[in-house]
Amino acid sequence: MKRAMSDDKLKISWEDLSSESVEKKLKEQQAVASTQEHYQQTNIAVPQRKRRFDFLLSAVVYLSLFGALGGLIGWGLGEILRYRPDAQKQAIELIAQYEQVVKSLQKVQATPEEIQRDTRAIRRAGESNPYFRIYIDPSLSDEEKEEKTALLYRSDLQRDFIAGLIFFGVCGTAISVMLATADSLIERNFQGAIIHGSIASVIGACGGLVVAWAVHWVQNEFLPSETNLSLLTRLFSNTLSWGLMGLFLAATPGIILRNTKRLFIGMTGGMVGGLIGGLLYAPVQDVIGNEMISRLIAVVLIGLLAGLACGIIENVVKTGWLKVESGLIAGKQFVLYRNPTFIGSHPMSHIYLFNDPSVGRRHACIHIVPGGYELEDLPLGSRTLINGKPATRARLKVGDRIRVGQTEFIFQERKPAH
């Protein structure tokens, strides 16, 4: 049996291996294998993900959330920086207690020494209060007390203005930074978020200071100087303040992109949100009663409305965009502002695709051309596909499916070219 099996073995001589027919057959098999490999590479299975929370990647939603978060952060930092005891309110309470004790002692005809002794605890509690110290200073006449109190009050007004300036600037800066970094953080582009956030912090801080001074000038020139302003006056003041501040809240992306359309969207959206939020600021204070809580609600509302307005305006004015259909950021939408718009794995790409080894640093770009858009494949990474076919440069049509690495986009255009 072993011999039979041995006799059945296929024997190939060196001459057979060197023959042209065998060499031709091997080349055909290599060509088939190469074709299959290329087909498999261009048809990589795109990982599908659950789409339950894809609505969070809508610009209207995530810009609103980031704006509200910026308002919350700004309010917290602003309250910490502006906090100081209300010396006037504390003095009123101390003076009321002091006068009550003195009147009670005078009814029983207490001596000055007894009055001094029985009011010692109140005087000790008011040692750090400048208003109370002036009130109980026996060396001052009533006129001198009024004069010193008026000077102290004006000094406190200046401190309150500086505290408000800081609060205003911090809140505006925090909202500005969160709105500027929203897109980068959604795309997990942390390098871009740092750059955008740094620029936004400067713009927000400068904007806050400029607007605060402008509002202060308007209030001094045109508004009454009473302590208790009417609701209408406060509505005007707050609406003016936050409306102007809103111009700076979401301007950063347009400045970085050097794109007037994106700048218009940010400034308009921020201003609309600021105007509405400022209009609601005073009524919220009146309803809530607590100044700190009312400031919290008002500032968070302003951030939310600014982000919401930016998202709505962007959706209204956009003309061409890519929607991520599959991949790690499925549901995200990229509006085509820049010409060209670069797609790649480099953090400074306009459309950043992370964690995909098949995507080059500058993988492809989209050109805005007369009447529409064109996609160009760049010589980095795997081939760029349009509707499953490799493309070098091609005109895009509404509904075209674009594959870059493991990410698939759908091209949309509001006014498709005919």
Side-chain angles (χ1 to χ4, degrees):
M1 175 66 74
K2 288 183 180 179
R3 189 180 327 198
M5 291 180 62
S6 176
D7 291 341
D8 291 338
K9 287 181 179 178
L10 179 63
K11 294 181 180 180
I12 301 175
S13 65
W14 177 255
E15 289 78 9
D16 292 333
L17 287 173
S18 302
S19 66
E20 292 183 4
S21 61
V22 172
E23 186 175 353
K24 183 179 179 181
K25 188 68 174 176
L26 289 173
K27 287 182 177 180
E28 290 175 354
Q29 290 177 345
Q30 289 175 354
V32 170
S34 176
T35 302
Q36 289 177 341
E37 182 180 357
H38 174 74
Y39 180 82
Q40 291 172 353
Q41 288 178 349
T42 56
N43 288 276
I44 300 172
V46 177
Q48 299 297 318
R49 57 191 292 275
K50 294 182 179 179
R51 308 178 68 87
R52 186 182 304 170
F53 300 107
D54 282 358
F55 71 94
L56 293 174
L57 295 178
S58 166
V60 173
V61 176
Y62 70 74
L63 285 176
S64 300
L65 293 177
F66 272 79
L69 180 59
L72 178 61
I73 294 172
W75 169 83
L77 294 175
E79 290 294 343
I80 292 172
L81 293 174
R82 74 172 287 167
Y83 175 76
R84 65 188 183 91
D86 189 339
Q88 295 179 56
K89 183 178 180 180
Q90 185 186 44
I92 291 172
E93 294 175 354
L94 288 168
I95 291 171
Q97 294 175 15
Y98 182 84
E99 289 181 343
Q100 184 179 1
V101 172
V102 170
K103 286 180 181 179
S104 298
L105 293 172
Q106 286 176 343
K107 285 181 179 179
V108 296
Q109 298 181 344
T111 64
E113 292 76 14
E114 290 174 332
I115 292 175
Q116 284 287 98
R117 184 192 63 203
D118 291 349
T119 58
R120 187 178 301 156
I122 299 175
R123 286 186 285 108
R124 188 182 297 118
E127 285 179 353
S128 60
N129 189 290
Y131 289 96
F132 185 72
R133 287 202 306 270
I134 292 172
Y135 176 77
I136 63 173
D137 189 344
S139 66
L140 298 175
S141 65
D142 290 342
E143 291 77 10
E144 290 173 328
K145 288 181 180 180
E146 288 182 5
E147 183 179 349
K148 284 183 173 292
T149 299
L151 287 173
L152 186 59
Y153 177 72
R154 285 195 291 270
S155 176
D156 274 351
L157 286 180
Q158 290 297 322
R159 291 194 186 95
D160 288 340
F161 168 70
I162 294 172
L165 192 73
I166 293 172
F167 180 80
F168 199 76
V170 168
C171 290
T173 300
I175 294 172
S176 178
V177 168
M178 293 307 296
L179 291 177
T181 58
D183 284 312
S184 297
L185 291 175
I186 289 293
E187 298 163 24
R188 305 185 198 180
N189 183 355
F190 301 112
Q191 180 179 332
I194 292 172
I195 294 172
H196 290 199
S198 300
I199 297 173
S201 64
V202 175
I203 295 173
C206 293
L209 293 175
V210 170
V211 171
W213 279 107
V215 171
H216 180 64
W217 178 81
V218 170
Q219 289 176 341
N220 286 342
E221 291 293 325
F222 301 104
L223 297 181
S225 57
E226 301 96 31
T227 304
N228 296 316
L229 299 176
S230 67
L231 176 60
L232 185 61
T233 302
R234 288 187 293 143
L235 286 176
F236 172 77
S237 175
N238 293 329
T239 303
L240 174 67
S241 304
W242 283 104
L244 290 174
M245 185 65 207
L247 291 172
F248 296 86
L249 292 181
T252 303
I255 294 173
I256 294 174
L257 290 173
R258 298 190 297 276
N259 183 275
T260 54
K261 187 175 182 180
R262 186 65 184 86
L263 182 63
F264 165 79
I265 290 171
M267 295 182 71
T268 305
M271 184 180 68
V272 170
L275 287 171
I276 298 174
L279 189 64
L280 297 174
Y281 197 106
V284 167
Q285 281 187 325
D286 292 343
V287 171
I288 301 299
N290 185 303
E291 288 188 8
M292 185 179 293
I293 300 301
S294 64
R295 282 196 296 268
L296 165 64
I297 295 173
V299 172
V300 169
L301 186 63
I302 287 167
L304 185 147
L305 289 171
L308 177 65
C310 287
I312 291 174
I313 294 171
E314 181 178 89
N315 278 333
V316 170
V317 303
K318 67 186 179 184
T319 54
W321 64 97
L322 297 180
K323 182 177 181 181
V324 182
E325 185 67 13
S326 61
L328 295 173
I329 50 174
K332 177 74 172 72
Q333 195 175 97
F334 294 94
V335 181
L336 302 173
Y337 293 114
R338 294 295 298 271
N339 188 21
T341 297
F342 287 100
I343 305 171
S345 61
H346 192 277
M348 295 312 293
S349 295
H350 305 126
I351 299 178
Y352 171 60
L353 302 179
F354 57 92
N355 199 26
D356 188 345
S358 62
V359 176
R361 291 167 65 83
R362 279 196 169 182
H363 194 107
C365 66
I366 295 178
H367 300 272
I368 303 174
V369 296
Y373 298 82
E374 289 183 358
L375 174 73
E376 179 184 5
D377 184 34
L378 300 177
L380 291 173
S382 60
R383 296 297 302 275
T384 302
L385 307 180
I386 300 179
N387 300 322
K389 298 178 181 179
T392 302
R393 180 157 179 157
R395 186 65 168 257
L396 292 173
K397 303 183 299 297
V398 173
D400 278 348
R401 305 181 81 88
I402 302 168
R403 257 288 286 289
V404 178
Q406 297 185 21
T407 302
E408 187 172 61
F409 303 92
I410 294 182
F411 173 73
Q412 296 291 338
E413 189 178 4
R414 179 150 286 135
K415 295 179 181 178
H418 295 287

